[in-house]
Amino acid sequence: MPIQLHPGDIGWAWQIGASALAERVRIWSLDGSNHAVGLLDGPTLLRLAVAPEASENEELAARILTDVTDPSRGVLPSGTSSVEARFGTALRSGIQDAGWMGDEPWTPFARDLTAPVQECGMRIETVGPELANARVQVQNASFDNSRFSEERWRTMANGPAYTDARCLLAYNEQGLAVATATVWSAGINRPGLIEPMGVAGNQRGHGYGTAITLAAAAALQEMGSSSALVCAESANVGAVATYKAAGFTCHPEVHDFRRNV
C-alpha cells in the first residue's frame, strides 16, 4: 500500500507540545468509527491517512473534500494549499475532479525486514538525555532552518508515541557524532518509519547516510517492525541515492495535490 501519514509523523511533531499538536490534527469519522486522520504540517499542507476499508467510501471522500476546500471549516486557509492524499480511490478522484493539480514529486522507499540487516560499520548510540545535546547539534547541522532544541527533544521523548521509538547517533572514527535518525514503530509486524534522517552538512560524502539508515532499519527490525518506510523528495538526489544504497526498494513517485488560487 502507499506510504501514508504514520504514527511516527505524529510522534515527531509532538516536539511542539501536546496542545499545539492537537490543534493541527483533524479526524473524520462515520458511524462512530474513525476512518481518516490528518496532520497540518505547516499552515497550508494537510497530510492524510485513510483507513483501507474506507478507500471507496464516497461519503467520507465528500466530507474531506468539503473540509479542505472551504476555509470556514478550519482545515486549510484560503489561497494556495496542498493535500497529501496517497490512498483512497474516492478521495483522490474527488480532489482531481475539483481541479487540484499535482505538486512536487516524492519517492517512497521500503525495506523488508524479514531478512537480516547488514552491519552499518559505524559506532551507533541510542540517544538518552545525556546525548540529547549531541542529537540536537547533528539535527541542526543536517537541515537548513531547523528549530530543534533540547527542550523540543525532551517534549518529544516524553510523548506517548516515543514509547515505541528511538533516536540514533552515528559516530565517525574520530569520535564525532556525524549522522542521526529517529525510528518509529507502529507495533509488532507493522511498518516502521524513519523520520527524520540527516547527516551534518560538513560530513557528507563519506557514506554516513547509508550507515545511519542501515542502523535505523536494524533498530526497527529489533523492535519487531515488518518493514522500514521512508519518503524523500525526488529532487533530493543525495537522499534518494542513500536509501537505494541501504537496500531500500524505490516505489513509483507520488505527488501531493495543490490548489492554486
Side-chain angles (χ1 to χ4, degrees):
M1 293 178 61
I3 297 176
Q4 301 195 81
L5 183 71
H6 188 275
D9 293 308
I10 303 293
W12 175 248
W14 204 282
Q15 62 185 267
I16 65 175
S19 296
L21 177 59
E23 294 178 358
R24 296 189 182 187
V25 175
R26 304 291 184 270
I27 296 174
W28 286 267
S29 58
L30 293 172
D31 302 322
S33 297
N34 296 331
H35 288 288
V37 60
L39 172 67
L40 286 166
D41 194 350
T44 61
L45 170 62
L46 178 72
R47 303 177 61 196
L48 285 168
V50 177
E53 64 271 15
S55 174
E56 307 287 343
N57 193 305
E58 298 286 350
E59 180 183 356
L60 177 68
R63 286 191 187 182
I64 295 175
L65 185 58
T66 296
D67 290 340
V68 300
T69 54
D70 182 357
S72 69
R73 300 294 294 165
V75 180
L76 289 170
S78 59
T80 300
S81 55
S82 300
V83 173
E84 179 188 287
R86 296 173 180 166
F87 179 77
T89 303
L91 175 60
R92 288 175 56 83
S93 296
I95 291 175
Q96 289 174 318
D97 291 344
W100 292 57
M101 307 299 291
D103 203 351
E104 60 181 341
W106 291 76
T107 301
F109 291 90
R111 173 166 176 153
D112 178 59
L113 296 178
T114 57
V117 178
Q118 62 266 45
E119 292 289 334
C120 72
M122 295 186 72
R123 172 186 151 208
I124 303 295
E125 297 287 350
T126 299
V127 176
E130 72 286 351
L131 290 177
N133 181 262
R135 169 70 178 86
V136 168
Q137 289 186 27
V138 176
Q139 178 76 21
N140 292 339
S142 301
F143 298 94
D144 295 337
N145 303 316
S146 173
R147 299 174 61 189
F148 206 44
S149 65
E150 287 192 63
E151 181 181 358
R152 283 185 171 227
W153 182 88
R154 287 192 296 269
T155 301
M156 177 188 73
N158 287 326
Y162 199 78
T163 303
D164 297 312
R166 296 179 190 173
C167 279
L168 306 175
L169 281 171
Y171 290 79
N172 65 11
E173 293 179 353
Q174 289 73 43
L176 297 175
V178 294
T180 188
T182 304
V183 295
W184 304 88
S185 168
I188 302 297
N189 294 326
R190 294 183 178 184
L193 178 72
I194 302 173
E195 172 60 27
M197 182 281 288
V199 179
N202 61 351
Q203 298 290 339
R204 292 171 185 164
H206 303 287
Y208 298 151
T210 300
I212 192 66
T213 302
L214 287 171
L220 285 172
Q221 185 178 60
E222 184 179 321
M223 297 161 73
S225 297
S226 59
S227 59
L229 306 178
V230 69
C231 205
E233 293 175 276
S234 298
N236 189 341
V237 294
V240 170
T242 292
Y243 295 126
K244 288 181 178 179
F248 281 64
T249 299
C250 176
H251 291 272
E253 283 186 335
V254 292
H255 296 258
D256 296 345
F257 292 102
R258 183 178 182 89
R259 176 184 61 189
N260 293 317
V261 178

